[in-house]
């Protein structure tokens, strides 16, 4: 029965990561032994499915988990909620079919709810532009459901050559339940194909191709008093742009898709520097492009966007006895430009509407830099878990955005750094294991809230762009305000049999921010996770 379940999970996953608003972006909490086992595999830092064949994981490694999360507090970003709840179910598995084929699969469902929310109507907080409420009087409850399916296969076709393929598919529904309300549907798909060539015992290289397709359709409506006129801010960036009335034309008039796709390449290298020391590296390049509109001659394409993503991921691992030292590092640069089209709608003699375009203007230029450097130590054994897990995680984020509504412009730059120290101790007790985890961290940032200016003198009848200064300040403080955090978790794992372990975990984290004016200062997060490993 156990083997049949593995074939079912991995077969479905092989036959078929959403970037969501922060309150919905929680990754599924993994059982420590599963997560630590995968983390100690050097090549899992990359995205080439051909490296599945070099994993030294057990023949079967799986978990099934139900989780719940509650967040409460006044320190939150503009698209988040002061009070939100989240619940879901997730399963993940690695399965070695035979000496030459390794399979990976994952499935999950996540439901999130937030109260009194405003902010972007899009799921993706890094969209090329945003549609937000023109004022704070129309906050409402929001709900999102996410369905995730992932599968991968690695096949050692020759003693030196492995090939692999993977697919990652996410579908989501997102809705606001107060006028001006919106409902969204999302389809996000990533596919990859790669090769891995073992040059000799010390060197292996890989090359992989990646395709990503994201299509999010958004539709606005009113179900309440029809006599009220609702307005939206079409924020090209920095909460700066066009104030639009909801009606028969414009960005919010009809169901419109925000479409993005990219093609990319990644190059990997695995070096066995010694029997105990391994170093995996990956460099990648993607070229995204897309539009807000259907892309047909009879409907308006409001904007087009294009950019580049490039970066490096690496992992260095050193093993000696019951101790494993791991250093994870990564850096990436993301450039994105958005252009608004100038157009006119024309109706011909057959009463068919045609769209005539006169050109486009650059309305947003955004550059983002992300970096991380983490150290983890796994020491000793307590059952199947390490006795000690300690380390530190550090991250860096910077963003520079220029928004242009000619002849006006607004510039903003910000940066954020964060460091979190963590430690976990596992203690065996009869047929079970208790694990206590503690963490503490500090973050801060800085930058320029806004720099408004003119390219040239505006005309006498030209109105200045519309702005939401409150949301601008709230987002800026969320990134840059000094904050400290402390958290703890307690897990109990029980060995039901040699092939099945049950576990439960409760966690709590407190975040305290300082020197804020638009946002609050406190955040409480409570989690509950119940599952099994098999």
């Amino acid at each position: 029965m156990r083997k049949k379940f593995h074939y079912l999970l991995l077969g479905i996953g092989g036959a078929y990561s959403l970037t969501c608003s922060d309150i919905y972006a929680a990754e599924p909490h993994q059982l420590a032994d599963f997560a630590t086992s995968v983390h100690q595999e050097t090549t899992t830092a990359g995205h080439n499915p051909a490296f599945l064949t070099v994993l030294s994981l057990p023949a079967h490694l799986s978990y099934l988990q139900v989780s719940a999360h509650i967040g409460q507090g006044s320190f939150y970003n503009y698209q988040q909620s002061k009070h939100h709840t989240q619940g879901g179910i997730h399963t993940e598995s690695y399965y070695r079919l035979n000496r030459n084929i390794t399979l990976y699969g994952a499935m999950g469902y996540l439901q999130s709810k937030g109260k009194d929310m405003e902010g972007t109507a899009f799921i993706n907080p890094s969209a090329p532009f945003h549609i937000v409420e023109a004022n704070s009087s129309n906050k409402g409850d929001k709900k999102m459901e996410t369905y995730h399916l992932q599968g991968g296969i690695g096949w050692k076709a020759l003693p030196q050559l492995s090939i692999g393929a993977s697919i990652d598919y996410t579908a989501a529904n997102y809705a606001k339940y107060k006028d001006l309300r919106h409902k969204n549907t999302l389809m996000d798909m990533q596919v990859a194909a790669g090769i891995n060539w073992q040059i000799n015992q010390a060197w292996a290289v890989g090359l992989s191709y990646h395709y990503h397709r994201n299509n999010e359709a958004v539709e606005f409506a009113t179900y309440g008093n029809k006599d009220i006129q609702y307005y939206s801010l079409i924020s090209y960036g920095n909460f700066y742009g066009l104030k639009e009335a909801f009606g028969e034309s414009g960005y919010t008039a009809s169901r419109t898709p925000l479409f993005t796709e990219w093609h990319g390449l990644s190059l990997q290298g695995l070096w066995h520097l010694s029997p105990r020391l391994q170093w995996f590296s990956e460099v990648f390049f993607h070229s995204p492009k897309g539009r807000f509109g259907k892309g047909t001659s009879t409907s308006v394409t409001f904007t087009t966007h294009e950019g580049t993503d490039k970066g490096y991921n690496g992992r260095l691992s050193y093993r000696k006895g019951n101790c494993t030292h791991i250093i994870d590092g990564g850096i990436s640069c993301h450039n994105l430009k958005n252009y608004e089209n100038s157009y006119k709608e024309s109706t011909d003699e057959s009463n068919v509407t045609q769209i005539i375009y006169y050109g486009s203007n650059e309305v947003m230029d955004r550059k983002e830099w992300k970096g991380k450097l983490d150290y983890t130590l796994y020491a000793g054994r307590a059952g199947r878990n390490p006795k000690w897990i300690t380390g530190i995680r550090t991250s860096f984020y910077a963003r520079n955005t220029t928004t242009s509504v000619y002849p006006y412009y607004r510039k903003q730059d910000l940066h954020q750094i964060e460091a979190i120290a963590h430690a976990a101790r596992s203690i065996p007790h009869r047929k079970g294991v208790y694990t206590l985890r503690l963490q503490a961290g500090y973050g801060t940032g800085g930058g320029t809230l806004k720099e408004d200016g003119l390219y040239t003198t505006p005309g006498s009848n030209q109105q200045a762009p519309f702005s939401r200064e409150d949301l601008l300040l709230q987002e800026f403080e969320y990134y840059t305000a000094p904050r400290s955090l402390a958290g703890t978790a307690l897990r109990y794992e029980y060995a039901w049999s040699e092939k099945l372990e049950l576990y439960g975990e409760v966690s709590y984290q407190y975040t305290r921010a300082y020197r804020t004016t638009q946002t609050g200062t406190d955040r409480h997060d409570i989690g509950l996770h119940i599952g099994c490993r098999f």
Side-chain angles (χ1 to χ4, degrees):
M1 180 64 186
R2 178 171 178 256
K3 183 174 290 188
K4 289 182 180 179
F5 176 80
H6 273 285
Y7 281 112
L8 177 63
L9 169 64
L10 295 162
I12 295 175
Y16 290 93
S17 142
L18 177 64
T19 310
C20 305
S21 299
D22 292 354
I23 67 164
Y24 300 131
E27 293 293 329
H29 180 88
Q30 297 175 324
L31 176 64
D33 188 56
F34 186 98
T36 57
S37 297
V38 174
H39 186 218
Q40 293 180 73
E41 295 293 327
T42 312
T43 58
T44 56
H47 301 89
N48 185 345
F51 279 90
L52 283 170
T53 59
V54 305
L55 298 180
S56 58
L57 294 170
H60 311 127
L61 184 64
S62 309
Y63 76 91
L64 173 67
Q65 177 178 272
V66 176
S67 61
H69 175 257
I70 297 175
Q72 178 77 39
S74 57
F75 182 63
Y76 59 96
N77 206 353
Y78 80 100
Q79 83 277 13
Q80 298 177 334
S81 172
K82 185 175 182 179
H83 175 81
H84 83 272
T85 58
Q86 188 179 75
I89 182 170
H90 189 84
T91 183
E92 194 170 0
S93 181
Y94 287 90
Y95 187 81
R96 189 173 297 279
L97 186 62
N98 55 47
R99 60 183 296 181
N100 294 322
I101 298 177
T102 302
L103 303 174
Y104 168 78
M107 293 187 293
Y109 168 78
L110 188 66
Q111 182 184 103
S112 304
K113 296 180 180 180
K115 292 184 176 295
D116 297 322
M117 295 179 64
E118 57 177 339
T120 178
F122 293 121
I123 295 173
N124 182 5
S126 298
F129 73 98
H130 292 289
I131 303 175
V132 302
E133 292 85 350
N135 57 65
S136 60
S137 62
N138 295 318
K139 294 181 180 180
D141 295 350
K142 291 189 178 185
K143 177 182 176 180
M144 180 171 170
E145 292 181 297
T146 304
Y147 308 85
H148 179 230
L149 190 60
Q150 187 175 3
I153 181 171
W155 174 44
K156 182 175 286 189
L158 298 172
Q160 296 83 21
L161 177 67
S162 296
I163 60 177
S166 65
I167 186 166
D168 188 339
Y169 181 84
T170 300
N173 301 309
Y174 183 41
K176 179 188 175 187
Y177 295 97
K178 183 178 179 180
D179 296 343
L180 180 66
R181 61 193 68 207
H182 64 81
K183 59 180 179 180
N184 307 39
T185 56
L186 173 75
M187 186 284 290
D188 184 275
M189 181 180 68
Q190 300 184 53
V191 296
I195 60 171
N196 165 26
W197 180 261
Q198 187 74 39
I199 298 175
N200 53 43
Q201 291 185 348
W203 294 78
V205 294
L207 179 67
S208 54
Y209 163 78
H210 304 264
Y211 174 72
H212 183 198
R213 183 182 182 93
N214 182 286
N215 194 347
E216 180 182 357
V218 58
E219 182 178 4
F220 294 84
T222 57
Y223 294 147
N225 189 343
K226 302 294 183 178
D227 296 329
I228 299 177
Q229 181 65 69
Y230 292 95
Y231 293 91
S232 299
L233 166 62
I234 311 302
S235 173
Y236 302 124
N238 302 327
F239 303 96
Y240 196 67
L242 169 70
K243 183 179 182 180
E244 179 182 275
F246 176 65
E248 297 180 355
S249 62
Y251 285 74
T252 59
S254 61
R255 181 179 175 85
T256 307
L258 176 61
F259 173 79
T260 303
E261 68 175 355
W262 55 251
H263 302 267
L265 290 175
S266 298
L267 179 65
Q268 300 86 20
L270 175 62
W271 295 269
H272 294 268
L273 304 175
S274 75
R276 298 174 179 175
L277 184 63
Q278 293 184 17
W279 182 23
F280 177 82
S281 290
E282 177 182 64
V283 293
F284 61 87
F285 179 83
H286 310 143
S287 182
K289 63 180 181 179
R291 64 179 184 270
F292 183 63
K294 298 178 181 178
T296 65
S297 61
T298 58
S299 62
V300 178
T301 296
F302 295 94
T303 66
T304 58
H305 55 274
E306 61 183 11
T308 58
D309 302 331
K310 49 186 176 292
Y312 166 84
N313 294 310
R315 179 172 293 165
L316 182 69
S317 68
Y318 177 76
R319 302 174 187 234
K320 185 177 181 181
N322 284 333
C323 292
T324 301
H325 304 262
I326 295 179
I327 297 176
D328 289 291
I331 188 169
S332 60
C333 178
H334 310 269
N335 298 327
L336 185 66
K337 291 187 177 183
N338 193 35
Y339 303 88
E340 184 176 51
N341 293 322
S342 299
Y343 64 92
K344 182 181 75 173
E345 298 185 39
S346 177
T347 303
D348 59 22
E349 296 178 354
S350 302
N351 202 31
V352 176
T353 300
Q354 297 290 332
I355 310 301
I356 302 173
Y357 296 96
Y358 297 103
S360 61
N361 299 310
E362 181 183 305
V363 292
M364 191 274 294
D365 183 0
R366 183 174 68 210
K367 298 177 176 64
E368 295 177 286
W369 297 268
K370 301 176 183 179
K372 73 170 186 177
L373 184 61
D374 304 341
Y375 167 76
T376 307
L377 168 65
Y378 299 101
R381 301 300 301 175
R384 299 187 182 183
N385 297 330
K387 180 181 291 185
W388 284 97
I389 303 175
T390 63
I392 185 169
R393 300 189 297 269
T394 63
S395 62
F396 171 79
Y397 175 74
R399 188 182 72 195
N400 188 308
T401 308
T402 299
T403 306
S404 301
V405 186
Y406 195 84
Y408 302 89
Y409 70 81
R410 170 174 287 179
K411 296 182 179 181
Q412 182 194 69
D413 66 87
L414 58 82
H415 62 269
Q416 179 193 67
I417 57 174
E418 187 175 59
I420 300 174
H422 59 91
R425 175 68 162 92
S426 294
I427 303 173
H429 179 71
R430 296 181 181 177
K431 295 182 67 176
V433 176
Y434 289 95
T435 300
L436 176 66
R437 186 175 72 245
L438 300 173
Q439 67 175 16
Y442 182 80
T444 188
T448 303
L449 174 64
K450 66 174 181 177
E451 178 190 334
D452 292 349
L454 296 169
Y455 293 111
T456 187
T457 303
S460 58
N461 296 325
Q462 194 165 9
Q463 293 184 347
F466 186 73
S467 176
R468 281 289 304 270
E469 303 291 326
D470 56 338
L471 297 185
L472 177 72
L473 180 58
Q474 182 178 357
E475 184 197 41
F476 186 80
E477 288 187 343
Y478 183 80
Y479 279 108
T480 64
R483 83 287 309 273
S484 57
L485 64 87
T488 184
L490 178 64
R491 186 183 73 250
Y492 177 69
E493 184 176 332
Y494 178 76
W496 183 269
S497 67
E498 292 184 358
K499 297 182 179 180
L500 178 65
E501 294 182 351
L502 309 178
Y503 68 92
E505 177 175 311
V506 292
S507 61
Y508 170 75
Q509 179 174 299
Y510 174 71
T511 304
R512 172 75 176 185
Y514 312 97
R515 300 200 299 269
T516 60
T517 58
Q518 185 65 34
T519 63
T521 59
D522 299 282
R523 188 75 181 175
H524 304 268
D525 292 280
I526 301 172
L528 174 65
H529 315 279
I530 300 173
C532 61
R533 189 177 72 84
F534 50 94

